[in-house]
Amino acid sequence: MHGLLRRFSCLLPCCVLIACTDRATGDTDNDNTSTSTTTTTVGTLEVTSTTAPTTTDPTTGPTPTSTTGDGLPGVHAGACKPIDGDVGCPAEHVCCSDDPATSQGRLPNYWEDGKVDDVFGNPLFSSINNELSHWGFCIDVGEFPSPFANGCPIPCNPTWSEDQLAPICQGSQCCPFTAVDPAKDCILDPDSGRWRTARGQDVIDKLTGWGDELATNQDPFADSCTKLANGDQDALIDCIRQLGVADQRGYCFADPCPCVEDVCDQKNPDWVPRCP
């Protein structure tokens, strides 16, 4: 596998892959199969999670493995954690975040030269903040246009409307490449009574924990959000609110997207398949 667009190079340039917390460590013992409770205090919010005991910093750990799109040649060279740099990636590859989240739910200002207004804002976990992301993919970044200094493809949110996607993907599609974990990333909405994917707001509302309770969470112990907030409690809570699991993340892609089922909706009795 040698890069995202090697198979599309004849289409360039128009076919672009548009692409601190008070952490209380739970009690541990010598039984590696036991679990411990970890509480992260975020302002006045305590976020609890149940996780296997560890002696390492929870911001580091095994490379993410919940991926999709592996059947598309040249799409990526495996999942990685940008917060750990390019560890595990092949030579000439960069570990690129797939998370377009932005403060206050705005669109990321990838093409707007740092513009911050009611529509556009600075991305939380991509572009200049790529290294704050816990999810990404090893990408050969040398063969397509990118607005980023690191050459990474453009992250996007597959659930955005066409009007929202247009200024970000600029004619390309938004394709998800990280698969939601149906055992961990789904929540039964108390208002609608339906299963859906978990959101950062659910953590704030204490409908779910964080940490290892959600498989594809972006900032497991709110360490990156804490760094971004720099002591501003409102900014900290907003950052957590913008967090999402895998269905909120993808890349702008010049080729057809892999079909990905909504595995949380699949738990509902009236679920209708989206893939053939």
Side-chain angles (χ1 to χ4, degrees):
M1 198 170 304
H2 191 65
L4 279 165
L5 273 191
R6 201 174 284 279
R7 67 186 291 232
F8 307 120
S9 58
C10 63
L11 301 179
L12 294 177
C14 58
C15 281
V16 179
L17 174 64
I18 306 261
C20 297
T21 67
D22 296 324
R23 186 168 60 218
T25 303
D27 295 335
T28 63
D29 53 36
N30 293 326
D31 183 0
N32 291 331
T33 63
S34 65
T35 59
S36 60
T37 299
T38 301
T39 300
T40 302
T41 302
V42 182
T44 59
L45 175 68
E46 289 189 349
V47 179
T48 59
S49 65
T50 302
T51 180
T54 179
T55 58
T56 62
D57 189 313
T59 61
T60 63
T63 298
T65 57
S66 180
T67 65
T68 188
D70 294 323
L72 296 180
V75 169
H76 60 72
C80 57
K81 296 174 68 173
I83 198 168
D84 291 340
D86 301 330
V87 174
C89 291
E92 300 181 359
H93 286 63
V94 176
C95 185
C96 295
S97 171
D98 63 347
D99 191 332
T102 304
S103 62
Q104 299 178 26
R106 295 172 290 190
L107 295 175
N109 55 13
Y110 298 141
W111 301 102
E112 299 294 330
D113 194 24
K115 183 178 182 179
V116 176
D117 58 16
D118 291 340
V119 178
F120 294 98
N122 294 317
L124 298 171
F125 301 106
S126 57
S127 184
I128 59 173
N129 289 322
N130 185 72
E131 74 281 357
L132 297 182
S133 176
H134 283 252
W135 274 92
F137 290 92
C138 297
I139 306 295
D140 184 345
V141 298
E143 299 188 20
F144 55 92
S146 169
F148 307 140
N150 62 8
C152 284
I154 299 293
C156 57
N157 186 330
T159 69
W160 282 342
S161 68
E162 291 187 8
D163 287 343
Q164 291 173 306
L165 285 171
I168 305 302
C169 288
Q170 301 190 349
S172 291
Q173 302 179 80
C174 184
C175 300
F177 292 101
T178 305
V180 170
D181 186 330
K184 288 189 172 184
D185 292 337
C186 303
I187 187 173
L188 188 62
D189 190 295
D191 296 324
S192 68
R194 297 180 60 81
W195 288 95
R196 59 171 175 78
T197 53
R199 300 283 178 268
Q201 183 64 47
D202 298 324
V203 179
I204 295 172
D205 294 340
K206 299 186 177 181
L207 298 177
T208 184
W210 205 238
D212 288 340
E213 290 190 29
L214 302 178
T216 62
N217 52 353
Q218 183 57 272
D219 189 9
F221 290 87
D223 291 329
S224 294
C225 280
T226 298
K227 182 177 181 178
L228 285 166
N230 194 28
D232 184 331
Q233 296 302 310
D234 290 338
L236 184 56
I237 296 298
D238 177 66
C239 182
I240 293 174
R241 183 176 289 113
Q242 305 311 320
L243 292 170
V245 294
D247 73 320
Q248 299 287 296
R249 307 198 300 269
Y251 294 124
C252 298
F253 198 54
D255 215 40
C257 298
C259 186
V260 179
E261 291 287 0
D262 185 338
V263 296
C264 293
D265 184 45
Q266 203 167 20
K267 295 174 178 284
N268 294 312
D270 60 349
W271 167 70
V272 176
R274 64 170 66 167
C275 298

